[in-house]
Amino acid sequence: MTFREHMKIARRAWKTTLGWDRGYVLALLGAAVFSSVTPFVPVYFSARLVDGLFAGEGIGTLFTYAGLTVGLVFLFKLLETRLTTLKEAASTKAYQREGWSYADKSMEMDLLTLEDPGTVRLRERIRMETQTGYNRYYLFRCMEGIVKSVTRIVSAAAMSASFFALGSLSVWIRLGLAAGILATVAVSVFSQMKEERIMEEFDASCVDVNALSFAFYRYSTDYAAGKDIRMYCMGPFLCGKDRELGRSFFRKNKKATNRAALWTLPGSFAEGLLRIGLYAALLASAFAGGVSAGSIAKYAACILLLLNGTEELVKSLQKEWINHEYLARYFSWFDLPNRMRKGSLTVEKRDDCDYEIEFRNVSFRYPGAEEDALKDVSLTFKIGEKLALVGENGSGKTTFIKLLTRLYDPREGEILLNGVDIRKYDYEEYLGVFSVVFQDFKLFPFRLGEVVAAAREYDEERVRESLRKANFGERLGDFPGGLGGYLYKSFDESGVEISGGEAQKIALARALYKDAPFILLDEPTAALDPESEYEVYSNFNAISGDKTTVYISHRLASCRFCDKIAVFDHGRIVEVGDHRTLLEKGGKYQTLWNAQAQYYRENAGEA
Ligand code: ADP
């Protein structure tokens, strides 16, 4: 990183951090100042007390020194404790803000970016590094370190300045001591740098290990994984792998900490030498009568505090410098572009619902894939039509839906809504046109009413109506807690564990409640048998009324009532027409139909 980049990161980090919670920063800095100043109080007054004793000062004065020491230390400690309490309370808020900022970014990130393995690794690495103490947490610690050390330097310099002006010390001794202090700081900073680097390399080398360990932890607490783990007796296998990782982590950690510990020796050695020189100079000065007994202790303590303060300051600045590399990575995740949100056109809210969608020569390839998942796809469909997408697994049907709903954008070609490229529309508004039930839909563990409405506030009657239309009406009657009852047990112990079929019905109800002009169903009925699926689809056809409905199914029979059937094959649309026309045509559709018909005949025969 160049100096300019360091400065840019520092500015951004400090600016956003201060913006988050000024109260926290002020309490943190205040507590740091008082904790640094407090040790100087007894040092100063003890020297006055000893000198007072030798000088034969009155008992009243001596008690005043003692009283001031106790009183001021008590007061400073009290202030420090109060500020620390305020800091702790505010820190929870500041760290919460950080958590929210991750969530906000994840929510608005393009899906393609979110699922990109590079993004996943980056996020995981930042998480691990933050847990190790870097990023914002480190920034607070550096800030605290800088303020503490500056306070210590200023206080120690003020109290030891007279030492360097002592007439009883030769210029050479004074210069020698000053050079000794600087040399000790240099040695200790250099050693600290080496130590930091070793630990930093260790942390970086542990990112993968930590991420894998975290994955094992998730398996061990995940109910769904628990089923397979038990069925296949995978406990010892998984625990073995986890322990292997743990052992490799500890081996690395031991090696790194041992190496780092060696680098603490030069600093301690240099400091020892300095102490010897300092005491020698002080004693020489005392014998020459140039320094009082009380001042010997004061100077010795202050000069060492000055030394520590300077070392701490350099270390804090150096840590902040190192942290910039972590912060650069941290910010790079927040800076990932959200390309989907560039459009600004308003989607026309048409009362006649006269919308038309056109795929024009659309191709799309998943990142890292060698082949296009969709190849030169062109298709038009109008509002009110019932469209079915059929084809073998992996032929591109779901990808078509994902492009239509702008979860991804085409690599080539364009998709038009009423003649306008969908990228030009405001993203949220455009998504408002669709209700989708994905194959792998997700229901959240909230109250039933909230789940159907996908909102906290909802129209109860409409929710009930949607559930009834989705064939959940009867179950709603005995659903514990009715619309206020919880789904699943994540947030509430009385939550209801629903079956796969019931979940599908609730997902359908959610799509109906949204009341969007386009309803897209991507095999949400895959768990049902063919006849039930046909029933659901034909019922849905009646329910959806004049809305445009796009059905995906690998069971052709389920879609035979549709106005238009698009047949997918290896990423291309190879045929479009209604059931009868396509059967008569004698192409891919007929081949698929005959194969499925034969399969069902055979199964029926066996039965
Ligand atoms: P269908 O819905 O017809 O079963 P898909 O649209 O899901 O097919 O998949 C089309 C092709 O794209 C398949 O070859 C599949 O492996 C691939 N594919 C689907 N999703 C991803 C993804 N997230 N990353 C990479 N390849 C994918």
Side-chain angles (χ1 to χ4, degrees):
M1 266 172 95
T2 62
F3 184 78
R4 268 174 77 96
E5 284 167 336
H6 271 285
M7 294 322 283
K8 215 169 132 192
I9 291 282
R11 248 199 318 276
R12 180 171 175 186
W14 286 85
K15 204 171 144 198
T16 48
T17 305
L18 286 175
W20 272 359
D21 198 337
R22 244 167 242 278
Y24 172 57
V25 177
L26 287 177
L28 179 115
L29 301 187
V33 168
F34 282 109
S35 81
S36 291
V37 165
T38 310
F40 287 95
V41 177
V43 170
Y44 178 76
F45 284 108
S46 301
R48 296 291 300 261
L49 195 73
V50 173
D51 287 346
L53 265 175
F54 278 101
E57 283 185 22
I59 193 86
T61 316
L62 296 180
F63 267 110
T64 309
Y65 291 147
L68 275 173
T69 310
V70 176
L72 282 176
V73 168
F74 179 71
L75 180 70
F76 285 3
K77 276 274 168 214
L78 214 63
L79 286 169
E80 186 194 334
T81 311
R82 179 70 194 127
L83 287 168
T84 307
T85 321
L86 287 176
K87 179 187 90 172
E88 297 299 331
S91 80
T92 316
K93 227 165 88 187
Y95 293 143
Q96 220 173 34
R97 284 283 280 274
E98 183 179 33
W100 292 341
S101 68
Y102 278 123
D104 288 346
K105 176 67 189 176
S106 297
M107 296 293 164
E108 63 180 30
M109 198 179 269
D110 294 348
L111 191 71
L112 204 58
T113 317
L114 187 70
E115 67 179 8
D116 182 334
T119 313
V120 176
R121 265 185 66 84
L122 177 64
R123 176 70 185 87
E124 196 56 29
R125 181 158 184 188
I126 293 170
R127 196 183 64 78
M128 303 306 318
E129 288 172 351
T130 305
Q131 234 173 36
T132 319
Y134 292 104
N135 298 324
R136 294 222 180 252
Y137 304 85
Y138 219 61
L139 197 71
F140 292 133
R141 275 173 51 195
C142 293
M143 189 149 63
E144 204 171 14
I146 291 170
V147 171
K148 271 187 179 172
S149 47
V150 168
T151 315
R152 193 174 297 171
I153 290 170
V154 172
S155 317
M159 281 171 61
S160 56
S162 51
F163 171 75
F164 290 97
L166 284 177
S168 54
L169 281 182
S170 78
V171 176
W172 288 112
I173 292 183
R174 276 184 260 171
L175 281 179
L177 275 176
I181 292 175
L182 288 179
T184 310
V185 170
V187 170
S188 123
V189 166
F190 179 74
S191 322
Q192 167 77 15
M193 251 162 74
K194 289 281 184 192
E195 201 184 325
E196 282 280 339
R197 277 283 160 213
I198 291 169
M199 292 318 286
E200 197 195 321
E201 278 165 22
F202 163 71
D203 289 340
S205 75
C206 286
V207 172
D208 286 343
V209 173
N210 288 344
L212 285 173
S213 280
F214 190 61
F216 281 121
Y217 165 76
R218 274 193 296 229
Y219 291 144
S220 67
T221 53
D222 177 22
Y223 154 78
K227 287 186 293 191
D228 288 309
I229 291 172
R230 277 155 190 75
M231 281 318 296
Y232 295 100
C233 302
M234 285 178 74
F237 173 64
L238 287 177
C239 290
K241 271 188 173 291
D242 192 21
R243 276 169 208 167
E244 226 171 83
L245 283 173
R247 278 193 283 271
S248 113
F249 175 86
F250 284 117
R251 268 196 304 275
K252 276 186 186 180
N253 183 272
K254 198 170 153 195
K255 210 167 142 193
T257 38
N258 282 344
R259 274 180 63 210
L262 282 179
W263 279 105
T264 57
L265 295 178
S268 312
F269 187 67
E271 200 179 307
L273 283 181
L274 181 72
R275 273 177 196 269
I276 294 173
L278 179 63
Y279 282 114
L282 279 168
L283 286 176
S285 186
F287 281 128
V291 63
S292 67
S295 297
I296 291 181
K298 183 181 82 173
Y299 287 140
C302 288
I303 290 173
L304 288 172
L305 283 170
L306 180 67
L307 173 78
N308 292 145
T310 317
E311 280 172 358
E312 281 304 318
L313 178 64
V314 180
K315 277 182 207 166
S316 298
L317 290 172
Q318 182 200 347
K319 280 182 178 180
E320 155 122 23
W321 210 247
I322 290 174
N323 194 34
H324 289 164
E325 285 173 30
Y326 290 88
L327 280 168
R329 195 160 28 248
Y330 172 88
F331 285 131
S332 73
W333 186 81
F334 286 93
D335 290 341
L336 287 169
N338 302 336
R339 293 193 185 85
M340 293 291 178
R341 292 170 190 269
K342 289 203 174 132
S344 57
L345 276 186
T346 329
V347 176
E348 217 181 330
K349 294 263 179 332
R350 303 184 62 122
D351 290 337
D352 59 358
C353 279
D354 192 7
Y355 295 101
E356 186 186 79
I357 296 270
E358 182 185 356
F359 271 61
R360 198 179 279 171
N361 307 107
V362 170
S363 297
F364 176 76
R365 181 175 297 192
Y366 286 100
E370 287 181 0
E371 243 195 287
D372 282 352
L374 280 189
K375 296 167 199 150
D376 197 19
V377 164
S378 295
L379 184 74
T380 307
F381 55 99
K382 282 181 82 68
I383 196 79
E385 278 185 338
K386 310 291 169 202
L387 170 72
L389 312 180
V390 302
E392 285 150 359
N393 283 339
S395 55
K397 306 180 295 290
T398 300
T399 309
F400 180 93
I401 296 288
K402 286 179 175 169
L403 287 173
L404 176 60
T405 49
R406 283 210 71 204
L407 295 179
Y408 308 129
D409 277 336
R411 189 165 72 93
E412 275 170 26
E414 51 185 354
I415 304 168
L416 310 160
L417 170 68
N418 294 347
V420 177
D421 190 319
I422 59 174
R423 281 172 283 211
K424 295 195 175 142
Y425 290 111
D426 174 87
Y427 187 63
E428 311 267 322
E429 273 212 29
Y430 177 73
L431 292 190
V433 176
F434 299 97
S435 277
V436 193
V437 184
F438 288 107
Q439 218 170 53
D440 50 353
F441 62 83
K442 170 89 187 147
L443 294 182
F444 295 91
F446 306 138
R447 294 176 196 279
L448 179 60
E450 293 172 344
V451 174
V452 173
R456 285 192 92 149
E457 306 295 330
Y458 52 87
D459 177 338
E460 278 198 25
E461 204 27 61
R462 269 186 59 216
V463 169
R464 283 181 206 286
E465 181 63 19
S466 307
L467 284 165
R468 269 196 295 273
K469 282 182 177 174
N471 269 340
F472 196 81
E474 220 174 284
R475 179 77 173 93
L476 180 61
D478 56 37
F479 194 82
L483 294 186
Y486 274 88
L487 280 195
Y488 310 116
K489 298 192 184 293
S490 313
F491 287 115
D492 195 284
E493 271 187 30
S494 65
V496 183
E497 288 295 330
I498 48 170
S499 73
E502 287 169 338
Q504 283 172 343
K505 289 174 186 169
I506 296 173
L508 283 173
R510 180 172 62 180
L512 286 171
Y513 184 88
K514 189 172 173 187
D515 197 25
F518 288 87
I519 302 182
L520 319 175
L521 304 181
D522 183 358
E523 294 201 76
T525 50
L528 303 181
D529 59 72
E531 271 319 303
S532 313
E533 178 181 294
Y534 180 70
E535 215 169 285
V536 169
Y537 275 18
S538 0
N539 278 345
F540 206 78
N541 202 23
I543 295 162
S544 59
D546 59 355
K547 295 186 192 312
T548 305
T549 319
V550 181
Y551 298 96
I552 293 190
S553 178
H554 64 276
R555 291 191 193 119
L556 304 193
S558 300
C559 302
R560 57 186 185 259
F561 59 82
C562 287
D563 307 312
K564 202 187 247 180
I565 299 172
V567 186
F568 280 72
D569 188 22
H570 292 95
R572 291 182 193 280
I573 294 186
V574 288
E575 288 167 7
V576 181
D578 62 26
H579 173 67
R580 188 165 297 280
T581 323
L582 288 176
L583 259 193
E584 284 166 4
K585 198 171 169 193
K588 180 82 188 168
Y589 185 80
Q590 193 199 49
T591 317
L592 287 171
W593 178 267
N594 287 341
Q596 287 193 356
Q598 188 179 349
Y599 169 79
Y600 289 122
R601 264 199 306 273
E602 277 168 12
N603 277 354
E606 273 171 28

